[in-house]
Amino acid sequence: MTLTVETAIKWLHFVNEEIQANKEYLTDLDQAIGDGDHGLNMARGFQEVSLKLNTANYNDLASLFKDVGMTLLSKVGGASGPLYGTAFMRLSMALKDKSKATQSEFSEGLQAALNGLKMRGKAQLGDKTMIDVWEPVVEFLKNHEQVTGKQLADLAKEKMEATKDIEAKKGRAAYLGKRSIGHLDPGAVSSYLLFSSLSRTFSEGEI
Amino acid sequence: MDFVSLVLISHSEEIVVGLKKLINQVQPNVAIAIAGGVDGEIGTNVFHIKEAIESVHSEKGTVVFFDLGSALLNAEMAIEMVEGNENIRIADAPLLEGAYFAAVEAGFGHSLREVVASGEAAKSFQKVPDL
């Protein structure tokens, strides 16, 4: 797999499509255990990302992902703005000056993004957050040289669905304690959409 | 006299507009900046917070107060973006009482550490006396 500026743009447009299509769903999930703004916030943020990508020109991945991070920071309210914003800013820093990235470079970039998410959200694996999708997906990409899009999407889906059985330790859902069990974590679902879109981008073959 | 500055962050613009007014009534000398809401809606925005900090920050230091969860994430990020951010602190305190106490302390010209401590003391301040 090689991530180029073109494939990255394609990926982010797919993310926007998925987020728009699941806007109500994300809002419903967040109304159950959060403050009910996740769908709207993510839809507003990625709509702006999509518009930005249509109008700007990029020579390298770092400037592209930096723009994505800054756009999400300014347009997404709630916790997902600084979280996804931090993730894309860290990805940008890891891919400094690169016009394309190998799977190993991209995986390291996603690892840097994950580290940023954990630092910003002060969350660990098992807290019923987006980390529960990000960490296993990043590990998988780092540890396997050849990954198919389907493997990636299946893993992200499995880990997203597993957040249903976890008790929330972070965010508004933590106030609910055990009552958060039985509900999917909205951030894990939007993270799943991010990675299933990546899988769609590379669906033609191995990543 | 130099004073420590305060920054008040809330998901609601009205909350911090009102709180600033309340505090200025007792302590008009301390510089207070606010960042509330996003485009008139409920939320917080890292760039608004950064601008608010920069508008009042001085060598004496700045203490940031916030209302709920995600405002903390944006406040931390905003501070990382400010140049010369060594003497900016986030107070772990209730927004209203914390900022009020801190403004009084800052008005005496006290240090950053003392202003933070005074704001954080609001966490255990007893509002209703024992009978």
Side-chain angles (χ1 to χ4, degrees), chain A residues 118-119 121-129 131-132 135 170:
Chain A
K118 291 170 100 169
M119 179 275 299
K122 299 166 192 76
Q124 296 300 324
L125 196 66
D127 285 348
K128 196 184 183 94
T129 69
I131 304 295
D132 294 334
E135 190 154 307
K170 291 285 160 190

Side-chain angles (χ1 to χ4, degrees), chain B residues 44-66:
Chain B
T44 59
N45 176 299
V46 65
F47 302 105
H48 293 176
I49 298 170
K50 176 175 177 272
E51 281 167 29
I53 293 171
E54 287 170 342
S55 74
V56 292
H57 187 46
S58 71
E59 273 182 26
K60 184 97 178 180
T62 298
V63 188
V64 176
F65 290 86
F66 69 95

Side-chain angles (χ1 to χ4, degrees), chain B:
Chain B
M1 192 174 6
D2 286 339
F3 303 104
V4 170
S5 304
L6 306 185
V7 173
L8 316 177
I9 306 169
S10 171
H11 281 64
S12 154
E13 188 179 0
E14 287 87 348
I15 285 178
V16 277
V17 167
L19 181 56
K20 182 179 179 201
K21 217 167 163 180
L22 179 74
I23 294 174
N24 274 150
Q25 196 182 43
V26 289
Q27 182 40 267
N29 298 325
V30 173
I32 298 175
I34 58 174
V38 183
D39 305 328
E41 303 284 323
I42 296 294
T44 59
N45 176 299
V46 65
F47 302 105
H48 293 176
I49 298 170
K50 176 175 177 272
E51 281 167 29
I53 293 171
E54 287 170 342
S55 74
V56 292
H57 187 46
S58 71
E59 273 182 26
K60 184 97 178 180
T62 298
V63 188
V64 176
F65 290 86
F66 69 95
D67 60 358
L68 296 168
S70 57
L72 173 61
L73 306 189
N74 273 326
E76 288 173 342
M77 254 195 122
I79 292 172
E80 286 168 25
M81 291 177 179
V82 174
E83 275 183 51
N85 58 10
E86 299 78 19
N87 52 352
I88 304 173
R89 298 283 180 278
I90 298 175
D92 180 11
L95 173 63
L96 192 155
E97 281 87 349
Y100 195 95
F101 287 2
V104 172
E105 187 78 14
F108 293 125
H110 289 173
S111 70
L112 178 65
R113 191 178 52 79
E114 289 167 313
V115 175
V116 172
S118 147
E120 294 189 339
K123 269 196 292 192
S124 50
F125 178 70
Q126 188 174 8
K127 289 169 84 171
V128 180
D130 291 327
L131 290 175

